[in-house]
Amino acid sequence: MIHAHEKSTFRMGLVGAVPIMLGYFPIAFSFGVGAVRSGLSPTEAVAMSVIIYAGASQFLALALISGGAPVLVAAFTLIAMNLRHVLYGPALMKRAGRGARKRWALIWAFGLTDEVFGAALGALARGRVFSESYMLGIGIGAYAAWVFGTVLGAYAGGGALEGWPILDAALGFMLPSLFLALLLSILSRAQLPVIGVAAVTTVLVTLLGSGTVGILAGMLAGAVSGLMRRGAHAQ
């Protein structure tokens, strides 16, 4: 994403990924440590990050597996939680415009995490021009930080953070905080009611049921609210 008079480069994408990398690395390190504590081998922990690459959902998977949940239940729960990623590509391409290239979409779309999507959408909102080179750079940078952090955490061993309980607890808040910071940078006043509906629904359903159901209900409520507001404005 660059201004029209500038040349798009892969390097610019890597530079744009730096804030995400700084957030991903310590969280991935914590995941690697937690995975080994939960009984996974270092190789299995790294494989989860390489193949699944689902951020907070990987921590949920650990909780489900260590709690005795069947693997299929854990898998379907993760799929349900991450269905929102299916919408990221179309939303980004719509904002980029009809002339945006999609030749390498199958590659950079794999890296469309919440934070990468937020950063890319924020760049477009600030008047930048869509670029696949940029998307590859920011995606690869974020992915490398997540995998490398997991590798270090997994092979450092389950006791790596035992002497730092405050740090261990704080790492659990870093990923949602990073996404929230990126989200707030692109929100407009017109979007706040939709966000409010989704947030209230998530909290209420979580209190009445479970966190997984609450997240799914919040996603659905936010989507329906957004469609209703869009339909009202179109009339």
Side-chain angles (χ1 to χ4, degrees):
M1 255 62 80
I2 56 173
H3 292 295
H5 63 277
E6 295 177 326
K7 183 179 179 181
S8 172
T9 64
F10 179 81
R11 180 176 176 274
M12 292 178 66
L14 289 177
V15 173
V18 170
I20 300 174
M21 295 168 68
L22 293 175
Y24 273 12
F25 182 83
I27 305 166
F29 182 89
S30 179
F31 170 76
V33 172
V36 173
R37 288 181 182 176
S38 299
L40 272 64
S41 68
T43 301
E44 291 171 334
V46 174
M48 284 189 68
S49 286
V50 170
I51 299 171
I52 299 176
Y53 185 41
S57 296
Q58 292 182 209
F59 288 91
L60 175 61
L62 286 181
L64 291 172
I65 294 173
S66 61
V71 175
L72 285 179
V73 173
F76 280 113
T77 301
L78 263 65
I79 291 173
M81 284 190 64
N82 290 282
L83 281 177
R84 68 188 186 280
H85 291 275
V86 177
L87 304 176
Y88 284 173
L92 189 63
M93 296 311 298
K94 181 179 180 180
R95 188 62 183 265
R98 294 183 178 180
R101 294 184 58 185
K102 295 179 284 187
R103 181 179 180 183
W104 303 106
L106 290 178
I107 298 177
W108 58 257
F110 174 77
L112 274 179
T113 61
D114 294 335
E115 294 74 26
V116 170
F117 172 72
L121 199 61
L124 288 174
R126 292 189 294 271
R128 302 281 180 166
V129 177
F130 180 83
S131 164
E132 285 197 302
S133 297
Y134 183 97
M135 293 304 303
L136 288 170
I138 193 172
I140 290 175
Y143 181 66
W146 185 262
V147 173
F148 186 56
T150 302
V151 170
L152 289 185
Y155 286 95
L161 297 179
E162 287 182 354
W164 306 87
I166 296 178
L167 177 61
D168 196 7
L171 288 175
F173 295 95
M174 291 185 66
L175 189 58
S177 298
L178 175 62
F179 179 56
L180 180 61
L182 292 169
L183 182 64
L184 290 175
S185 70
I186 63 174
L187 281 181
S188 65
R189 183 174 299 179
Q191 295 169 316
L192 291 179
V194 176
I195 299 298
V197 169
V200 170
T201 303
T202 300
V203 172
L204 289 177
V205 177
T206 298
L207 293 175
L208 296 174
S210 67
T212 300
V213 178
I215 292 173
L216 295 176
M219 291 165 55
L220 180 60
V224 172
S225 177
L227 289 173
M228 291 177 62
R229 286 181 58 84
R230 184 172 182 179
H233 286 297
Q235 293 178 351

